[in-house]
Amino acid sequence: MHPPNSLTDAAFIQRLLLLALLLCLTLLSYQVLAFFIIPVLWSAILAYVTWPLYEWLLRILKERKTLAALVMTLGLILLIGVPVVIGGFVLQQEARNLYSQLQGQLFSGHLTAPGWLARFPGIQQQVQDFITSINANPQELIQQLRFWLQNHLSYGKHILTIVTQNLARFGFVLLTVFFFYRDGRQLIGQIRRALHRILGARTDNYMSAIGSTTQAVVYGIGLTALAQALLAGVGYWFANAPNPVLLTIMTLLVGLIPFGTPFAWGGVALWLLANGHMLPAIGLSLWGIIVVSWIDNIIR
């Protein structure tokens, strides 16, 4: 038997401790950077798919990279931020008007059921009985609502936290995409040189394949969302929906989410139905199912 080598054991323990320390540092780094990983990926994708437009703008501006990156970033803000702000303002106004109307009816004791419920006799009777009980004693309902709101304020705080986090992520995306535009060439060169040391000559093939795949997926999603939004906008116009241009823009944004477009035109169809426009609602639904949804498969 050979005596134990204390030097070998010490070296093994030292390597084990270094490995454990490296794992701990990696986990801690991930905890710190987890909030920024998704925004950075989105920034990289946005910069990559719009890079041809950036290079065209760069030639127009005589290779002034900072100015071209700033113009591209402002363009993204206008393209994404303006429709969201307009939609939020319109939604706020509609919600305020609905709240004022319901509040006035409630305090006067003359809360009424929507007229379109008459087409559904079973549901209408249940809703009418509920409304009758409210009109008999509106103060009791108000107290119950106040009690419910006081016990569920945490939901509002949770929603506010989510909205604030998403706004912060969106701001970080715009900040990061500016630097991707401005310093993208140097960054790609550094990544290519680093990968050449690891993968050798295969690096160019891998990067070309990754780039082509990314472009195909993102352009496919973008073109599909654009085509579906335009076709849905035609349906909104013929159905005489309010603000068809705004609804088309909102449909485009929702269409970027997988399976999101049916919720857009379906919501408009439900709104038309709720306001007594049955034939336009049915027509818009058929247009959405037959035309808008099928264009997805054709483009992809």
Side-chain angles (χ1 to χ4, degrees):
M1 296 181 62
H2 298 283
N5 191 337
S6 58
L7 293 178
T8 303
D9 293 341
F12 175 76
I13 293 173
Q14 185 179 14
R15 291 193 185 117
L16 188 61
L17 290 175
L18 287 175
L19 179 61
L21 180 61
L22 179 61
L23 289 175
C24 291
L25 288 176
T26 302
L27 291 175
L28 291 174
S29 300
Y30 174 78
Q31 292 294 327
V32 173
L33 299 175
F35 180 84
F36 304 99
I37 292 175
I38 300 300
V40 168
L41 290 177
W42 272 110
S43 301
I45 292 172
L46 283 174
Y48 183 77
V49 298
T50 57
W51 191 259
L53 180 60
Y54 169 73
E55 289 192 328
W56 172 81
L57 185 62
L58 197 61
R59 290 192 297 269
I60 297 296
L61 297 176
K62 299 179 180 180
E63 297 297 322
R64 286 181 283 186
K65 295 188 292 185
T66 301
L67 180 59
L70 181 61
V71 171
M72 287 293 296
T73 305
L74 292 176
L76 289 176
I77 293 175
L78 293 176
L79 182 64
I80 300 174
V82 171
V84 171
V85 171
I86 294 176
F89 177 76
V90 172
L91 182 62
Q92 180 187 11
Q93 293 297 320
E94 292 293 330
R96 183 180 299 173
N97 293 335
L98 179 62
Y99 174 77
S100 300
Q101 181 182 359
L102 290 177
Q103 187 181 40
Q105 292 182 0
L106 184 62
F107 280 108
S108 64
H110 297 290
L111 189 64
T112 58
W116 56 269
L117 278 177
R119 302 186 183 93
F120 307 96
I123 300 177
Q124 182 195 21
Q125 188 59 43
Q126 296 178 5
V127 174
Q128 190 60 50
D129 293 341
F130 177 70
I131 290 176
T132 302
S133 64
I134 293 175
N135 289 332
N137 191 2
Q139 294 298 329
E140 182 180 355
L141 176 63
I142 294 174
Q143 291 177 358
Q144 291 178 357
L145 288 175
R146 288 175 178 172
F147 178 76
W148 185 88
L149 288 174
Q150 290 175 356
N151 291 332
H152 294 80
L153 286 177
S154 58
Y155 293 153
K157 294 179 181 178
H158 181 65
I159 293 174
L160 181 61
T161 301
I162 293 175
V163 171
T164 304
Q165 288 178 349
N166 287 328
L167 289 176
R169 285 191 177 97
F170 180 65
F172 189 76
V173 166
L174 295 175
L175 178 65
T176 308
V177 79
F178 168 81
F179 290 102
F180 276 145
Y181 283 135
R182 194 189 68 175
D183 305 317
R185 293 175 179 173
Q186 293 84 344
L187 180 62
I188 292 297
Q190 293 174 1
I191 294 175
R192 193 182 298 274
R193 286 192 296 270
L195 291 178
H196 263 291
R197 296 181 180 179
I198 301 173
L199 302 175
R202 295 173 295 176
T203 299
D204 295 331
N205 293 332
Y206 286 149
M207 293 191 69
S208 177
I210 292 172
S212 300
T213 303
T214 303
Q215 276 189 336
V217 171
V218 176
Y219 285 159
I221 293 174
L223 288 176
T224 301
L226 179 61
Q228 288 184 322
L230 292 176
L231 290 173
V234 173
Y236 299 152
W237 186 77
F238 277 102
N240 200 23
N243 302 313
V245 176
L246 176 61
L247 290 175
T248 301
I249 296 174
M250 298 304 296
T251 304
L252 173 61
L253 297 178
V254 175
L256 297 173
I257 305 172
F259 309 106
T261 308
F263 291 97
W265 56 259
V268 177
L270 288 176
W271 184 90
L272 291 172
L273 181 64
N275 285 271
H277 307 293
M278 177 171 286
L279 288 179
I282 294 174
L284 180 60
S285 299
L286 292 175
W287 177 261
I289 294 171
I290 298 173
V291 178
V292 178
S293 295
W294 274 99
I295 199 68
D296 183 1
N297 299 326
I298 294 174
I299 293 178
R300 290 184 191 278

